């Protein structure tokens, strides 16, 4: 089968690498990743995001489920947090 992993944000990539490795053990025909936000600034591993809505080189974003120290998660949109 073909597998599509859907993620809100790809940041360091560590979680997705582990997930892809686990799914590969089931011998899928293909694995692709779809992300709302592909953030490359803190990327620690090679992750191939096949589909992304937004690419972010640097910065910190909050809202729409994304938080900073358990704050700002409930904002109705995504905002760039200036630290």
């Amino acid at each position: 089968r073909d597998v599509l992993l859907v993620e809100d944000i790809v940041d360091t990539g560590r979680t997705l690498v582990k997930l892809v490795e686990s799914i590969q053990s089931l011998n899928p025909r293909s694995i692709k990743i779809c992300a709302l936000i592909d953030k490359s600034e803190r990327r620690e591993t090679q992750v191939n995001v096949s589909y992304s809505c937004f690419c972010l080189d640097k910065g910190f974003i909050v809202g729409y489920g994304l938080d900073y120290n358990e704050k700002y998660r409930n904002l109705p949109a995504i905002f760039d947090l200036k630290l």
Side-chain angles (χ1 to χ4, degrees):
R1 301 205 181 238
D2 296 309
V3 176
L4 178 63
L5 298 174
V6 180
E7 183 69 282
D8 56 352
I9 184 168
V10 178
D11 195 3
T12 63
R14 290 183 299 179
T15 301
L16 275 175
V17 165
K18 294 291 185 185
L19 189 56
V20 167
E21 288 173 357
S22 177
I23 292 172
Q24 281 176 334
S25 70
L26 301 172
N27 298 316
R29 183 168 40 201
S30 68
I31 301 174
K32 293 193 177 185
I33 298 169
C34 175
L36 176 63
I37 302 160
D38 183 5
K39 184 178 172 190
S40 59
E41 178 181 31
R42 295 181 350 126
R43 192 70 46 88
E44 296 176 5
T45 60
Q46 176 65 33
V47 176
N48 182 24
V49 178
S50 301
Y51 312 102
S52 63
C53 295
F54 305 97
C55 293
L56 182 65
D57 291 328
K58 55 194 286 191
F60 198 91
I61 52 177
V62 294
Y64 205 65
L66 304 167
D67 70 274
Y68 174 74
N69 286 338
E70 302 296 324
K71 297 178 185 171
Y72 312 114
R73 180 184 302 268
N74 295 326
L75 294 173
I78 296 173
F79 298 93
D80 185 14
L81 181 64
K82 302 295 184 194
L83 298 174

